[in-house]
Amino acid sequence: MSQDVAAEPCAPAAQDTVADAVATPGREQPFAALGLTAEEYARIAGLLGRRPTDAELAIYSVMWSEHCSYKSSRKHLRQFADKAPATDVLLAGIGQNAGVVDIGQGYAVTFKIESHNHPSYVEPFQGAATGVGGIVRDILAMGARPVAVMDALRFGPADAPDTRRVLPGVVSGISFYGNCLGLPNIGGELAFDPCYAGNPLVNALCVGVLRHEDLKLAAATGPGNQVILFGSRTGPDGIGGASVLASASFGGTGEGAKRPSVQVGDPFMEKLLIECCLELNRAGLVIGIQDLGAAGVACATTELAAGGGTGMRVRLDSVPLRDASLGPAEILMSESQERMMAIVEPGRVAAFMDICAKWDVQATVIGEVTDTGRLEMSWQGAQVVDIPPGSAADCGPVYDRPAHRPATQDELLAADPARLPLPTAGTDLRADLLLLLRSPEGGDKTWVTEQYDRYVRGDTVLAMPHDAGLVRIDAETGLGVALATDGNGRYCQLDPYAGTQLALAEAYRNVAITGARPLAVTNCLNFGSPEDPAVMWQFTEAVRGLADGCQQLGIPVTGGNVSFYNQTGGTPIQPTPVVGVLGVHDDVRRRTVSGFTAAGASVVLLGDTRPEFGGSLWAWLRHGHLGGRPPAVDLDAEKALAGLLAVAAARGLLLAAHDLSDGGLALALAESCLSGGTGCVIQPPADAAAFLFSESAGRAVVAARPDALPDLVSACEAAGVSAAVIGTTGGPALELTGLFSVPIADLAAAHRAALPALFG
Amino acid sequence: MTARIAVVTFPGSLDDRDARRAVRRAGAEPVELWHDDASLHGVDGVVLPGGFSYGDYLRCGAIARFAPVMRQIIEAAGRGLPVLGICNGFQILCEAHLLPGALARNAGLRFVTRDLTIRIENDTSAWTRQYRAGQHIRVVLKSGEGAYMADPQTLASIEANGQVLARYASGNPNGSQRDIAGVVNEAGNVAGLMPHPEHAIDELTGPSADGLGFFASMLQTVAAR
């Protein structure tokens, strides 16, 4: 692959040795261009007792970037640990590459979601592709086999000219990379809002499976053990990606200035790397392992050495290069894709190399573990790095940034949707249903999901358009895992605390809908600039909401990712925490599907419906309205509903179940009719608008055989979940008795209209 | 004796595991075959699975056809060994000139994953004898370069010889000429199919179990020899 992305040199390629740093204490260094403040630069000099060398400065600049150090968020993220519910399912938690969850029968799963927002705006195809590649390597680094991916995407208005550049590029990048890796894409999200026009969100999730004994940690232990860099050669791509691209807002210097920072992906190499790593693990040749993502060699060496409590000596000249002109600072900062670093006993290096050769993966010993407690690096015979690894990995600055609830928040809450005119006539209700169905937000997402392979590996039990993805782990026992991601920027704009809990509740419910038991949470927190006190307030509220919510639901946060600086100029995106919930399914053969497939079943609405239109899709699409309070959160009710759904699935009481969220019951009924190919006849109550379009949380619509209905009703009573029989499946239409009827063919035509019309 | 069917793994093969599962489900013993293997180990048939062999760099299947194992497969196919290429495997068989025609980018220029119906046209080949001509089956298509193309003379000759194995019967998803979803060589032992029968072996993980017939047909072929 040609490399025409000539990077501006971030630091002079000529060596600046430790001796030089001692001899020339006053030399000016480009710390500001690398994203460090004067205070941070002074702190580095304080830690080292001298000015850093250029190579050391490169390490600190990337390791202390917002992206790698979580300097603005760390103080708040502690709540995930402090409020963690008592659990025995966690084998590894926050701080590792990804959390690891025990799912029984000797299996564990590891999952994580991560953002690649800015690269995907600058270069949609490669940005999104390498976002998939990066999260897959995180999972691989835990010793797991990656088994599925998902993606949560948000763009500007679907009909905006720039969305036509960004969306098709992002989707084809995910398609290209994920399909070529052989990982089924089992779900995710697609949303549109003007706030994402200059800053789309591309969040990629990966889940992997391992046996308990295969768990690997990022630790360089055992002095004398060899440090091996394997995978692609190191090139000039992505230099400064973490410090410049992921940790600053767009605008000001012009986007062209950041173009060289997007990496270029080679999924074929990553596929080889996956198989190679798994074979190395099986052969027991790996002591510690780390992927090279943001901050490349700098991050992998410091984290491995810090994780092991050891030291490391690295010969930077040994790093295989694609571009011979790279100097030590650039080698340290390069974010070239498809690279891993392993710690291997000297006597096993030959066996390690043999397996790499089988997979045509280049592997090079670049150093060894020491007992000095120092990370030392040489270049052309001279020492260019000599630092305590912990000072870069763990001792970064921690900021307690000011957070203030903005005054505009009161105006937003005061704009009560209760004053919006509600439709009452059948024709108006029908028109509003079709409005939702025809919108890019409420419409069919096949244009996107059809570009992803959801079948490869042959274990996909549920994927789009079902509420959650469900993957079989063990064919004998039927053990499987369900995954869902959810987020709602409108809800979070109105109330970041409640909005984040609603995202958690929806993902939790979506997992439970399949019959799985929710176990653990990951998150990708997409926000504007932390230097804006209003954004910081949104962030602190969201984190508090998620931590409290997880505590109440009894499922721990196992890891996550923070993406700040999602804004263009001074305008931040809506706060958009995306929450991923993982559940275990005891027998995937008993999964519940979302579509109505048989006539004559009773349609039952579970949960309570209140007239709640704040932040709703209906208010937004019908009236362009965003205001008031989001739907009320009742996590105890969510727990009761999830428990009921698990019992009902295990006892075979349900023919179908579908979550109610954006677009309320109206959209859920239409989707169930369409995905199962069967209509339904529904008897609406007097307040038909709230019945159809309210987005009250904690609800699901289910179909049950009439003979199973008494059992279902008594199970609902036992669980404390309200249940109302609202109609019957069957017939050629979605019919609301006395109000309107839409033939399935018309539903389908409306549902499938939006994306193909916009994107071809 | 149980038939032994090899599934070849090239670097970048993805559906090899799925093909082995389908072979096992049909009652045969799957044999793993590595791309640089110099021997076929006496297997009774070979499946070239889907994926992106060697990254599909240069052109889909163009590098895989030169893999060491392909020398053995080409020679054995000439002696009548049943060989099925699925998706990327179909592309490899065309590149190796074991099958006529070629696969080009989809008409929409996008990757397409879709459950669809194909009509079996040839029910006498080594891989389709358990189906009836005209039978409709539900399978999975998932490919970016699946548009079947051939020059007019080749098209006329494969139509005349009954070498069209199956056609798309629920709309043409990728611009394939004459809706062709799969072809077979003149001898009837080497078949290529763009959709994936190995992903239609049970209703839990696929749209149907209709795809098992390809593997069951192969067993019947081996038993009859």
Side-chain angles (χ1 to χ4, degrees):
Chain A
M1 199 167 288
S2 72
Q3 282 297 323
D4 54 2
V5 283
E8 281 181 48
C10 296
Q15 48 187 312
D16 175 33
T17 66
V18 172
D20 294 337
V22 172
T24 59
R27 213 197 86 192
E28 277 194 33
Q29 291 185 285
F31 63 85
L34 292 169
L36 289 166
T37 65
E39 294 74 34
E40 288 167 347
Y41 180 65
R43 184 186 166 114
I44 296 167
L47 280 166
L48 296 179
R50 57 171 165 79
R51 76 162 173 88
T53 66
D54 289 338
E56 289 166 344
L57 185 63
I59 293 176
Y60 285 102
S61 76
V62 289
M63 292 306 291
W64 287 10
S65 69
E66 187 66 59
H67 186 79
C68 294
S69 76
Y70 294 85
K71 58 189 168 192
S72 302
S73 58
R74 193 177 275 224
K75 170 178 181 291
H76 304 281
L77 299 178
R78 286 191 189 122
Q79 290 175 72
F80 295 143
D82 294 345
K83 297 180 184 173
T87 174
D88 53 2
V89 302
L90 266 192
L91 300 179
I94 297 172
Q96 286 298 327
N97 286 306
V100 181
V101 181
D102 181 7
I103 60 164
Q105 299 177 17
Y107 289 103
V109 290
T110 176
F111 73 127
K112 192 179 179 190
I113 184 166
E114 207 162 69
S115 65
H116 232 217
N117 302 340
H118 284 175
S120 301
Y121 181 65
V122 175
E123 214 294 70
F125 183 90
Q126 289 294 351
T130 54
V132 175
I135 193 68
V136 168
R137 284 192 302 280
D138 270 346
I139 297 306
L140 189 58
M142 300 305 295
R145 172 179 278 283
V147 296
V149 294
M150 293 177 105
D151 49 88
L153 308 178
R154 283 167 176 78
F155 299 98
D159 56 359
D162 200 46
T163 302
R164 288 187 204 189
R165 170 185 74 93
V166 179
L167 184 147
V170 164
V171 172
S172 61
I174 293 169
S175 162
F176 159 75
Y177 206 101
N179 293 353
C180 194
L181 273 189
L183 293 177
N185 189 313
I186 58 170
E189 297 175 276
L190 176 63
F192 301 91
D193 190 276
C195 76
Y196 306 114
N199 200 121
L201 302 186
V202 175
N203 296 175
L205 179 148
C206 182
V207 57
V209 177
L210 63 159
R211 301 295 295 177
H212 287 185
E213 60 271 23
D214 294 334
L215 179 60
K216 291 280 180 291
L217 298 177
T221 53
N225 285 340
Q226 302 292 291
V227 179
I228 300 183
L229 180 64
F230 61 118
S232 291
R233 288 165 172 263
T234 298
D237 44 340
I239 289 178
S243 52
V244 181
L245 199 46
S247 302
S249 305
F250 283 135
T253 55
E255 65 190 54
K258 290 177 178 176
R259 188 151 296 145
S261 294
V262 179
Q263 317 88 326
V264 177
D266 177 359
F268 173 60
M269 175 50 77
E270 181 119 327
K271 168 68 178 169
L272 298 182
L273 208 47
I274 291 174
E275 300 304 332
C276 179
C277 281
L278 291 170
E279 191 165 335
L280 292 168
N281 287 347
R282 277 197 300 275
L285 300 176
V286 175
I287 301 282
I289 188 163
Q290 171 75 297
D291 62 300
L292 276 71
V297 173
C299 182
T301 51
T302 51
E303 289 193 349
L304 279 166
T310 52
M312 193 183 280
R313 196 175 298 120
V314 172
R315 295 172 297 279
L316 287 171
D317 317 73
S318 302
V319 173
L321 300 179
R322 258 185 287 156
D323 176 348
S325 72
L326 295 186
E330 292 157 304
I331 292 169
L332 285 164
M333 292 168 81
S334 165
E335 296 186 3
S336 288
Q337 297 290 293
E338 293 92 24
R339 297 178 299 162
M340 302 287 285
M341 189 174 285
I343 307 299
V344 181
E345 288 173 13
R348 298 189 155 194
V349 169
F352 187 101
M353 294 299 179
D354 283 348
I355 289 175
C356 289
K358 172 187 166 184
W359 290 102
D360 274 334
V361 168
Q362 184 171 9
T364 311
V365 174
I366 64 162
E368 56 275 323
V369 179
T370 65
D371 58 4
T372 61
R374 308 289 294 183
L375 176 62
E376 300 164 89
M377 299 191 186
S378 63
W379 173 255
Q380 295 174 352
Q383 191 165 43
V384 293
V385 171
D386 181 9
I387 63 172
S391 70
D394 304 321
C395 299
V398 175
Y399 294 134
D400 185 2
R401 298 202 186 266
H404 296 301
R405 181 174 183 274
T408 49
Q409 205 66 25
D410 288 327
E411 293 161 36
L412 260 183
L413 293 182
D416 193 338
R419 61 183 171 76
L420 299 175
L422 294 175
T424 51
T427 49
D428 293 339
L429 289 158
R430 182 180 194 276
D432 285 4
L433 165 64
L434 291 174
L435 175 73
L436 298 191
L437 277 176
R438 273 199 206 98
S439 70
E441 293 83 357
D444 179 44
K445 311 295 192 288
T446 299
W447 190 92
V448 170
T449 58
E450 177 169 270
Q451 298 186 48
Y452 307 148
D453 181 351
R454 63 181 179 276
Y455 282 108
V456 67
R457 298 190 57 74
D459 286 315
T460 306
V461 176
L462 295 175
M464 302 76 66
H466 296 290
D467 293 308
L470 180 61
V471 179
R472 179 174 62 188
I473 302 298
D474 190 305
E476 294 282 306
T477 63
L479 184 73
V481 292
L483 269 163
T485 68
D486 284 292
N488 187 318
R490 285 190 303 272
Y491 291 168
C492 291
Q493 184 76 32
L494 299 178
D495 183 342
Y497 181 90
T500 305
Q501 294 200 333
L502 286 165
L504 168 67
E506 186 181 347
Y508 178 87
R509 199 184 318 132
N510 281 332
V511 162
I513 287 276
T514 66
R517 195 169 71 250
L519 276 189
V521 175
T522 186
N523 60 80
C524 190
L525 307 175
N526 304 280
F527 286 80
S529 166
E531 296 160 41
D532 175 346
V535 169
M536 209 54 211
W537 172 77
Q538 294 171 331
F539 179 77
T540 55
E541 285 293 286
V543 170
R544 193 169 64 84
L546 185 57
D548 289 350
C550 289
Q551 187 174 34
Q552 201 174 341
L553 289 173
I555 50 177
V557 173
T558 64
N561 169 240
V562 177
S563 174
F564 278 130
Y565 297 101
N566 291 290
Q567 60 184 54
T568 306
T571 312
I573 58 162
Q574 289 172 348
T576 314
V578 171
V579 181
V581 171
L582 177 136
V584 61
H585 205 300
D586 293 331
D587 187 352
V588 295
R589 289 163 290 203
R590 289 183 174 277
R591 85 289 188 199
T592 311
V593 299
S594 64
F596 297 153
T597 50
S602 299
V603 179
V604 184
L605 177 61
L606 304 177
D608 297 311
T609 304
R610 295 167 293 268
E612 293 180 294
F613 297 101
S616 69
L617 187 59
W618 173 83
W620 176 247
L621 291 177
R622 182 70 182 78
H623 297 286
H625 180 274
L626 174 59
R629 295 200 170 276
V633 181
D634 182 347
L635 295 176
D636 288 333
E638 299 285 356
K639 235 171 154 171
L641 179 65
L644 166 79
L645 289 164
V647 166
R651 286 166 57 189
L653 300 179
L654 302 178
L655 295 171
H658 192 15
D659 158 65
L660 267 57
S661 53
D662 314 29
L665 178 66
L667 208 48
L669 285 173
E671 287 168 353
S672 287
C673 289
L674 286 168
S675 69
T678 303
C680 62
V681 180
I682 303 295
Q683 284 82 46
D687 187 1
F691 179 69
L692 286 174
F693 301 118
S694 164
E695 296 185 3
S696 293
R699 297 184 303 157
V701 62
V702 303
R705 282 191 322 274
D707 60 333
L709 197 54
D711 275 357
L712 179 62
V713 169
S714 57
C716 287
E717 278 168 12
V721 174
S722 52
V725 178
I726 58 169
T728 312
T729 62
L734 169 58
E735 183 182 331
L736 275 281
T737 306
L739 291 174
F740 65 82
S741 174
V742 185
I744 293 211
D746 294 0
L747 283 181
H751 195 229
R752 289 178 198 152
L755 296 184
L758 290 164
F759 300 105
Chain B
M1 202 188 78
T2 313
R4 297 170 67 246
I5 302 186
V7 176
V8 179
T9 299
F10 301 97
S13 290
L14 304 177
D15 301 281
D16 44 344
R17 176 174 177 266
D18 312 289
R20 289 196 296 271
R21 181 191 286 132
V23 163
R24 199 177 303 116
R25 187 70 61 85
E29 179 197 337
V31 176
E32 293 186 33
L33 207 53
W34 184 237
H35 69 122
D36 68 357
D37 212 319
S39 159
L40 297 185
H41 305 284
V43 295
D44 301 302
V46 172
V47 176
L48 304 182
F52 293 72
S53 55
Y54 305 95
D56 274 352
Y57 292 132
L58 187 59
R59 199 171 57 235
C60 300
I63 303 176
R65 68 154 290 200
F66 293 108
V69 76
M70 284 304 294
R71 241 174 275 140
Q72 312 298 321
I73 290 173
I74 291 169
E75 190 193 303
R79 286 186 274 107
L81 185 79
V83 178
L84 172 66
I86 303 167
C87 196
N88 193 225
F90 187 9
Q91 293 161 341
I92 295 167
L93 291 176
C94 289
E95 287 286 342
H97 303 296
L98 286 176
L99 290 173
L103 283 311
R105 290 277 313 264
N106 291 349
L109 302 181
R110 288 192 294 269
F111 194 96
V112 171
T113 303
R114 199 176 289 173
D115 298 350
L116 44 70
T117 303
I118 59 173
R119 185 173 64 244
I120 301 294
E121 300 284 7
N122 174 325
D123 61 5
T124 59
S125 83
W127 296 91
T128 54
R129 56 180 52 185
Q130 290 214 340
Y131 296 108
R132 289 173 279 104
Q135 185 177 347
H136 285 78
I137 65 170
R138 289 290 281 174
V139 286
V140 173
L141 179 76
K142 51 181 191 89
S143 44
E145 307 198 15
Y148 185 77
M149 301 282 164
D151 59 70
Q153 293 84 350
T154 304
L155 279 177
S157 110
I158 63 173
E159 293 276 10
N161 292 340
Q163 287 178 250
V164 175
L165 196 69
R167 288 184 218 270
Y168 298 109
S170 53
N172 188 326
N174 51 23
S176 289
Q177 290 180 330
R178 303 194 188 193
D179 299 336
I180 290 173
V183 298
V184 64
N185 67 348
E186 274 192 80
N189 64 310
V190 180
L193 194 65
M194 211 58 216
H196 290 258
E198 83 282 19
H199 286 293
I201 61 166
D202 71 39
E203 291 182 356
L204 185 67
T205 57
S208 74
D210 294 348
L212 268 183
F214 284 89
F215 305 94
S217 296
M218 209 305 263
L219 289 192
Q220 194 183 338
T221 302
V222 170
R225 291 215 293 185

